[in-house]
Amino acid sequence: MALSIQSLLILFTTLLLKETLVVAETCSNCFTHSRAAYYPNSDEQGTDVGACGFGSFGATINGGDVSAVSDLYRNGVGCGACYQVRCTNSNYCSDKGVTVVITDQGSSHDTDFILSQRAFGRMAQTKDAAASLLALGVVDIEYRHYPKKNITIKIDENSNYPHYFAFVLWYQQGDKDITAVQLCETQNFVCKLLDRSHGAVWTTNSPPSGPLSLRMLLSGEDGDESWIIPVNNIPENWKGGETYDTGVQINV
């Protein structure tokens, strides 16, 4: 029996909606086109005075494969995020590109990324190609969020119980941002909402005692929010300057 025009329209709309949903589900892996430059005076690595508050570790984190960003900085919410960045010139550029961690804010020549010199060269296929890329100075790129390592806590050297506790978060991933952090006592589950002082730095002047558990609020552009609790706790005998693996990656 022949389908009516109305039935055909309903069938077409249903198929189109399914296709749209498939595209939406996979678009977390989509690349965005942009441009990138590099720190010309960075001694190959990043900067130790970046806006994200990583200090000297901002130059050496991720082996020195770091970057400043412009719009992606978003008042510090974008700090610590991981991105796969690859240039698009097939004469010089590899398909893999480089994975960078955001440690600073900045822009140049309508770019979204200012890579460390080391990271900029690692987008190339060979050392000779890297030299050619560096000579260009600014290149067309494409980038996407890229899960690589567990989110890591770096405790500020000046942290001192019970007067002050501060840390930065490294290796944020996924399409959602960490917009709030709670610090909780693991024994009685009393939690304290932390302040974001600047960049990726979270602080409190009255840290809870004992082993500590984090709760991180993930917020998406669509308004969706959810709390995530890392697998690993901060030990009771935490020390300033130490790093602690949370045991969790965010792939949403």
Side-chain angles (χ1 to χ4, degrees), residues 23-174:
V23 172
E25 288 174 357
T26 60
C27 223
S28 60
N29 292 323
C30 293
F31 281 96
T32 300
H33 293 277
S34 184
R35 287 160 60 82
Y38 68 92
Y39 289 99
N41 56 349
S42 62
D43 192 26
E44 292 196 353
Q45 298 178 331
T47 175
D48 58 1
V49 292
C52 289
F54 288 168
S56 60
F57 291 93
T60 59
I61 185 176
N62 198 39
D65 291 336
V66 297
S67 180
V69 289
S70 52
D71 292 343
L72 294 172
Y73 179 76
R74 300 195 312 285
N75 293 320
V77 174
C79 287
C82 296
Y83 289 94
Q84 180 185 8
V85 181
R86 62 187 189 187
C87 52
T88 58
N89 188 324
S90 59
N91 293 323
Y92 306 128
C93 304
S94 69
D95 293 333
K96 183 179 179 181
V98 64
T99 303
V100 297
V101 175
I102 304 309
T103 61
D104 197 6
Q105 179 186 25
S107 62
S108 174
H109 302 288
D110 297 321
T111 63
D112 275 317
F113 289 82
I114 303 180
L115 304 175
S116 64
Q117 185 174 328
R118 167 188 163 89
F120 197 88
R122 279 167 58 82
M123 293 191 295
Q125 301 170 11
T126 65
K127 288 185 178 180
D128 289 341
S132 298
L133 281 183
L134 291 169
L136 291 174
V138 181
V139 295
D140 293 325
I141 62 159
E142 51 189 15
Y143 68 90
R144 63 180 176 182
H145 274 287
Y146 190 70
K148 184 179 182 182
K149 298 180 180 180
N150 293 342
I151 291 179
T152 300
I153 301 166
K154 167 66 168 57
I155 297 182
D156 184 85
E157 289 82 352
N158 296 317
S159 295
N160 181 24
Y161 179 81
H163 307 292
Y164 180 69
F165 186 79
F167 60 85
V168 293
L169 294 175
W170 294 350
Y171 308 128
Q172 296 184 39
Q173 315 101 3

Side-chain angles (χ1 to χ4, degrees), residues 52-54 74-80 151-156 159 164-170 172 177-183 192-205 207 214-219 227 234:
C52 289
F54 288 168
R74 300 195 312 285
N75 293 320
V77 174
C79 287
I151 291 179
T152 300
I153 301 166
K154 167 66 168 57
I155 297 182
D156 184 85
S159 295
Y164 180 69
F165 186 79
F167 60 85
V168 293
L169 294 175
W170 294 350
Q172 296 184 39
D177 297 317
I178 298 176
T179 56
V181 175
Q182 288 184 335
L183 195 62
K192 182 179 182 63
L193 188 65
L194 303 184
D195 298 318
R196 184 198 293 273
S197 65
H198 67 282
V201 182
W202 298 89
T203 67
T204 176
N205 290 324
L214 286 185
R215 297 179 73 236
M216 298 179 290
L217 180 63
L218 304 181
S219 302
W227 287 92
I234 301 172

